[in-house]
């Protein structure tokens, strides 16, 4: 089965840049999405097709995907960005939508 | 605006069938997108269950495929999930969501609008 690996936690100071990575075999050949989930809430898509932001998502959220790693970058991180973040991709070889295990972003 | 709402029993007995429905409002389910189910066990990550098109065409998670059926009722603007032979491991929050992946790049897995989720507990 295809796996996406994320660090369990990332910490960042307010106003700084946070980077959350997602690793998978030849992930750069697939399209990656990212979701933000706050406690007790449904996930929210923040990046799709590697780099695109859905309507309403602040410009400080950006994405990249190359080689084996996709990265979600949050510039000028705010306290409201503290949440769990999940990457996700479609693996054609297993015909499966795969989610990473999630990364808890702490803003302190 | 587009809203999705899950409904169904919150408690299911082991070995029985879990049945949930997702009602879509503010948008026609027959407008060219897939519609998906995703679940999240307590304290754990997200797991895709499957996605369905208005025509009934489906994609299923390989790990759940033998127990899952997703169906669509365009006249009611809703789609449904049935998961057979449930165990405690199927206890989770179940979300329905709009899947825009196929329409945009030909493969499922891009969930841009989510329901609020419904908790389903499997217990006798």
């Amino acid at each position: 089965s295809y796996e996406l690996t994320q660090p369990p936690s990332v910490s960042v100071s307010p106003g700084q840049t946070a980077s959350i990575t997602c690793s998978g075999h030849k992930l750069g050949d697939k399209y990656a999405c990212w979701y933000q989930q706050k406690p007790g809430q449904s996930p929210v898509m923040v990046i799709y097709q590697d780099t695109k932001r859905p309507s309403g998502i602040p410009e400080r959220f950006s994405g990249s995907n190359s080689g084996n790693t996709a990265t979600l970058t949050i510039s000028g991180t705010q306290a409201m960005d503290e949440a769990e973040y999940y990457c996700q991709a479609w693996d054609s070889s297993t015909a499966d939508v795969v989610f990473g295990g999630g990364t808890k972003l702490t803003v302190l | 605006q587009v809203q999705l709402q899950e409904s169904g029993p919150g408690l299911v007995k082991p070995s029985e069938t879990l049945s949930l429905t997702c009602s879509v409002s503010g948008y026609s389910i027959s407008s060219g997108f897939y519609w998906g189910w995703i679940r999240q066990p307590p304290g754990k990550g997200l797991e895709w269950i499957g996605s369905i098109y208005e025509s009934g065409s489906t994609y299923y998670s390989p790990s759940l495929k033998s127990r899952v059926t997703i169906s669509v009722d365009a006249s009611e603007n809703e789609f449904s999930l049935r998961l057979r032979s449930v165990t405690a491991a199927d206890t989770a929050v179940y979300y329905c969501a709009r899947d825009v992946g196929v329409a945009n790049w030909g493969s499922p897995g891009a969930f841009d609008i989510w329901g609020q989720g419904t908790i389903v507990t499997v217990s006798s």
Side-chain angles (χ1 to χ4, degrees):
Chain A
S1 63
Y2 190 79
E3 292 185 357
L4 293 174
T5 301
Q6 299 180 234
S9 63
V10 168
S11 297
V12 64
S13 299
Q16 299 303 301
T17 296
S19 295
I20 300 174
T21 58
C22 174
S23 299
H25 181 64
K26 294 187 176 180
L27 180 57
D29 292 345
K30 312 177 193 302
Y31 282 132
C33 296
W34 290 90
Y35 303 89
Q36 174 194 70
Q37 187 179 32
K38 297 180 179 179
Q41 298 184 18
S42 302
V44 173
M45 175 188 275
V46 294
I47 293 289
Y48 69 99
Q49 209 168 353
D50 295 338
T51 61
K52 298 181 179 179
R53 278 179 294 104
S55 174
I57 300 302
E59 291 185 8
R60 63 179 181 274
F61 287 88
S62 63
S64 64
N65 187 14
S66 179
N68 295 320
T69 304
T71 303
L72 173 69
T73 302
I74 309 172
S75 304
T77 306
Q78 301 182 9
M80 69 172 63
D81 301 328
E82 187 163 287
E84 192 86 16
Y85 289 85
Y86 294 92
C87 61
Q88 174 253 301
W90 163 258
D91 178 51
S92 58
S93 64
T94 56
D96 198 5
V97 173
V98 180
F99 286 91
T103 297
K104 173 147 179 64
L105 177 67
T106 301
V107 182
L108 40 66
Chain B
Q1 78 270 26
V2 187
Q3 291 187 318
L4 288 77
Q5 178 69 58
E6 305 88 352
S7 61
L11 181 64
V12 181
K13 290 183 168 56
S15 81
E16 295 190 345
T17 296
L18 178 160
S19 296
L20 297 174
T21 295
C22 181
S23 300
V24 181
S25 60
Y27 194 85
S28 170
I29 207 167
S30 301
S31 295
F33 290 119
Y34 274 68
W35 302 86
W37 288 98
I38 304 100
R39 68 181 183 179
Q40 185 172 34
K44 296 188 177 181
L46 301 166
E47 179 184 21
W48 175 67
I49 300 170
S51 298
I52 190 167
Y53 190 61
E54 60 185 271
S55 64
S57 175
T58 52
Y59 291 93
Y60 290 134
S61 164
S63 65
L64 295 170
K65 188 173 186 176
S66 63
R67 298 194 291 132
V68 170
T69 300
I70 298 176
S71 58
V72 62
D73 186 342
S75 66
E76 295 291 335
N77 218 42
E78 63 187 27
F79 60 107
S80 299
L81 167 70
R82 287 173 55 86
L83 179 64
R84 297 176 289 279
S85 303
V86 297
T87 69
D90 296 309
T91 294
V93 176
Y94 285 76
Y95 295 100
C96 59
R98 188 173 74 174
D99 186 347
V100 300
V102 176
N104 280 285
W105 55 81
S107 58
F111 306 101
D112 68 335
I113 301 172
W114 295 62
Q116 65 183 33
T118 187
I119 299 172
V120 179
T121 301
V122 178
S123 175
S124 56

